[in-house]
């Protein structure tokens, strides 16, 4: 069938198989061209099919030459419905890994569940023995815990209402958005979903099953960002969950002391992904940030970020590069003083009339569509494709 984008607010309900394939191929090409990463050879990626997890898996396989196991939660196509992008991404990844002689196993299922954890453990035992790097890159709106309770995360402030400029993605007007504070229950639920409990569970399960190599590393990802977005991000419900995630690194390192396993959190740059485009205020910040960083020639996408993370800051010549807060920072260019100053200058001036001039709205939408395999150069979108 001919697949067209069907955008509803911050989500697109269709995905183009050929465009998604192209997106993965371009990322693989970037890593191959950039050169080898001196990393481990057996890597597990949880949340591997899109965004930062996909870029991490591509870096591990095509940069480190690693065998990879990838876990993700995507829908297959059915009838006239296309699959979700991650499904197509993983198909392409598996095929390209096989072509390159690299082991790759992709598991589509709920990473929060005990069943999927056991399935992954069995595969590692059978095929790889042990893994020496575990990347935890889940972003999910909900989690069902082993006792059957489902928690739903909230994107709200904590304590007080917050009003800020917001880009109305439907009308292109710059309006004010007011975000109301979360209840105690919503805060607790967000921590359950996006905090570190499941990361700890994964590491405990892997250690107990004896599939973690001695001195293995594990990384999870977070975002901090500028003061401007603090109320909705860093100090909001998601920020509370991320604090819990950061604290969980120390818990994991302590739990796995006997094995010498170390856990780290990497602070990544703000980028358009399915997770970030759902947060109010963030799309406008992203498009202003893109404008400034592109002008300075320092803009990076997921693959550039993850390649630089592993090449320089995790497996670089000087070992793991952490900052004062104990975390690894690949948000260093985003947070540069000159970058943030220009972003804030634009932020103060931006309105509905100068939006297209002052912000990289085109870059925002391009990245958005590319996530779903649209607007990729060289793809014939009028052609019939097998979904
Ligand atoms: P994403 O939505 O692109 O990717 C999420 C991945 O998790 C997908 O592979 C999805 O299939 C998988 N997933 C979701 N629920 C699952 C489940 N129940 N079981 C198995 N797999 C599941 O998100 P992203 O933006 O790449 O986020 C990844 C991490 O990076 C998150 O921790 C996020 O907070 C962090 N981060 C994101 C940004 C950003 O700007 N996007 C910036 C810094 C840090």
């Amino acid at each position: 069938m001919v697949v067209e984008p069907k955008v509803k607010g911050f989500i697109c309900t269709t995905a183009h198989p050929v465009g998604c394939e192209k997106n993965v191929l371009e990322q693989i090409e970037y890593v191959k061209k950039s050169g080898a990463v001196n990393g481990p050879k057996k890597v597990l990626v949880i949340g591997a099919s899109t965004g930062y997890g996909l870029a991490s898996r591509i870096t591990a396989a095509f940069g480190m030459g690693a065998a990879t196991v990838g876990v993700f939660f995507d829908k297959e196509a059915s009838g006239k419905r296309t699959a979700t992008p991650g499904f197509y991404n993983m198909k392409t990844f598996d095929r390209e890994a096989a072509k390159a002689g690299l082991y790759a196993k992709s598991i589509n299922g709920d990473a929060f569940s005990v069943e999927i954890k056991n399935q992954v453990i069995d595969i590692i035992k059978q095929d790889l023995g042990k893994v020496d790097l575990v990347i935890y890159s889940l972003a999910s709106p909900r989690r069902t815990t082993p006792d059957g309770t489902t928690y739903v995360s909230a994107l709200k402030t904590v304590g007080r209402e917050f009003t800020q400029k917001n880009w109305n993605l439907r009308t292109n007007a710059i309006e004010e958005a007011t975000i109301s504070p979360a209840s105690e229950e919503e805060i607790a639920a967000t921590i359950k979903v996006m905090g570190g409990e499941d990361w700890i569970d994964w590491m405990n399960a892997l250690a107990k099953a004896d599939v973690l190599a001695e001195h293995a590393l594990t990384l999870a990802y977070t975002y901090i960002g500028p003061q401007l977005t603090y109320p909705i991000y860093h100090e909001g419900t998601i920020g509370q969950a991320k604090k819990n995630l950061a604290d969980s690194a120390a818990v994991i390192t302590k739990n796995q002391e006997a094995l010498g396993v170390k856990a780290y959190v990497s602070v990544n740059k703000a980028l358009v992904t399915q997770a970030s485009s759902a947060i109010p205020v963030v799309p406008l910040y992203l498009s202003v940030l893109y404008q400034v960083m592109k002008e300075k020639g320092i803009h990076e996408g997921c693959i550039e970020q993850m390649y630089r993370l592993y090449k320089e800051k995790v497996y670089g010549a000087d070992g793991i590069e952490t900052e004062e807060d104990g975390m690894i920072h690949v948000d260093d260019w985003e947070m540069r003083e000159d970058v943030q100053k220009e972003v804030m200058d634009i932020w103060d001036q931006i309105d509905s009339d100068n939006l297209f001039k002052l912000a990289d709205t085109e870059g925002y939408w391009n990245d958005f569509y590319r996530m779903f395999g649209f607007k990729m150069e060289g793809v014939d979108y009028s052609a019939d494709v097998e979904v």
Side-chain angles (χ1 to χ4, degrees):
M1 63 192 223
V2 173
V3 181
E4 283 174 350
K6 283 206 185 93
V7 178
K8 287 187 186 141
F10 53 79
I11 190 81
C12 180
T13 57
T14 54
H16 200 282
V18 181
C20 288
E21 175 185 26
K22 185 101 198 298
N23 186 9
V24 172
L25 292 177
E26 282 183 6
Q27 293 193 44
I28 292 174
E29 219 25 64
Y30 173 82
V31 171
K32 281 189 182 165
K33 199 179 72 212
S34 304
V37 177
N38 189 19
K41 300 291 178 240
K42 292 167 187 178
V43 178
L44 166 63
V45 185
I46 303 157
S49 65
T50 56
Y52 277 123
L54 170 65
S56 303
R57 191 177 190 194
I58 291 174
T59 301
F62 296 91
M64 305 175 198
T68 59
V69 177
V71 187
F72 49 93
F73 209 13
D74 279 281
K75 286 204 178 81
E76 289 189 42
S78 76
K80 280 208 167 295
R81 279 188 85 91
T82 68
T84 49
F87 183 84
Y88 297 130
N89 292 343
M90 291 291 90
K91 281 267 176 268
T92 304
F93 177 91
D94 287 349
R95 189 195 67 212
E96 292 304 307
K99 264 201 229 162
L102 293 165
Y103 172 96
K105 262 275 160 60
S106 293
I107 296 140
N108 190 3
D110 184 4
F112 292 125
S113 71
V114 174
E115 295 73 36
I116 289 294
K117 289 185 176 76
N118 288 339
Q119 202 178 315
V120 169
I121 285 167
D122 287 346
I123 286 169
I124 297 173
K125 260 194 190 155
Q126 208 181 318
D127 297 350
L128 303 175
K130 296 179 186 212
V131 287
D132 14 40
L133 171 64
V134 178
I135 298 166
Y136 188 85
S137 186
L138 278 195
S140 172
R142 70 184 62 79
R143 168 184 173 205
T144 301
T145 47
D147 66 1
T149 316
T150 298
Y151 298 88
V152 180
S153 69
L155 290 167
K156 290 190 175 178
T157 59
V158 168
R160 63 197 156 87
E161 217 174 66
F162 169 59
T163 301
Q164 192 42 279
K165 278 183 186 173
N166 187 49
W167 170 21
N168 184 324
L169 296 170
R170 288 174 207 268
T171 63
N172 281 322
I174 298 298
E175 310 164 335
E176 283 200 328
T178 298
I179 300 122
S180 55
S183 65
E184 286 302 324
E185 206 183 343
E186 286 173 317
I187 299 169
T190 309
I191 294 172
K192 272 278 181 196
V193 180
M194 288 297 284
E197 192 176 63
D198 182 62
W199 185 24
I200 296 174
D201 285 354
W202 264 102
M203 295 310 292
N204 283 341
L206 294 166
K208 192 168 164 226
D210 198 24
V211 293
L212 274 184
E214 246 182 274
H215 304 293
L217 283 185
T218 181
L219 266 86
Y221 302 143
T222 194
Y223 180 66
I224 297 175
Q227 294 269 348
L228 170 76
T229 58
Y230 269 17
I232 182 66
Y233 200 96
H234 187 51
E235 291 168 351
T237 46
I238 179 78
Q240 305 307 309
K242 290 298 188 185
K243 279 192 189 85
N244 181 272
L245 182 84
D247 293 343
S248 303
V251 174
I252 292 169
T253 300
K254 182 95 188 60
N255 283 353
Q256 314 308 339
E257 212 173 356
L259 267 179
V261 170
K262 288 207 158 62
Y264 293 92
V265 170
S266 169
V267 189
N268 302 345
K269 176 194 181 186
L271 278 175
V272 182
T273 62
Q274 294 187 56
S276 66
S277 47
I279 310 174
V281 184
V282 169
L284 182 60
Y285 170 73
L286 280 169
S287 56
V288 175
L289 181 73
Y290 277 26
Q291 173 95 354
V292 173
M293 291 186 85
K294 283 181 186 175
E295 223 168 73
K296 290 181 183 289
I298 53 169
H299 177 72
E300 296 171 296
C302 286
I303 195 65
E304 290 86 358
Q305 276 268 294
M306 292 301 94
Y307 181 80
R308 187 160 68 90
L309 170 65
Y310 290 99
K311 172 88 179 174
E312 293 176 15
K313 297 191 182 254
V314 178
Y315 298 110
D318 301 327
I320 298 171
E321 243 181 67
T322 54
E323 302 298 326
E324 264 166 29
D325 57 9
M327 297 194 274
I328 306 166
H329 282 262
V330 268
D331 66 340
D332 44 357
W333 298 353
E334 171 183 355
M335 298 315 292
R336 247 169 51 177
E337 216 178 303
D338 60 319
V339 172
Q340 283 303 319
K341 189 184 174 306
E342 282 181 40
V343 168
M344 293 311 137
D345 286 347
I346 294 178
W347 190 271
D348 289 340
Q349 301 169 46
I350 208 154
D351 57 32
S352 307
D353 298 327
N354 60 25
L355 170 68
F356 297 121
K357 195 169 140 244
L358 295 184
D360 183 20
T361 53
E362 198 186 325
Y364 175 90
W365 281 118
N366 261 329
D367 275 13
F368 179 87
Y369 280 105
R370 287 169 65 97
M371 281 195 294
F372 301 94
F374 297 105
K375 299 209 181 191
M376 299 291 306
E377 243 172 75
V379 176
D380 177 5
Y381 289 105
S382 64
D384 258 329
V385 286
E386 183 65 61
V387 297

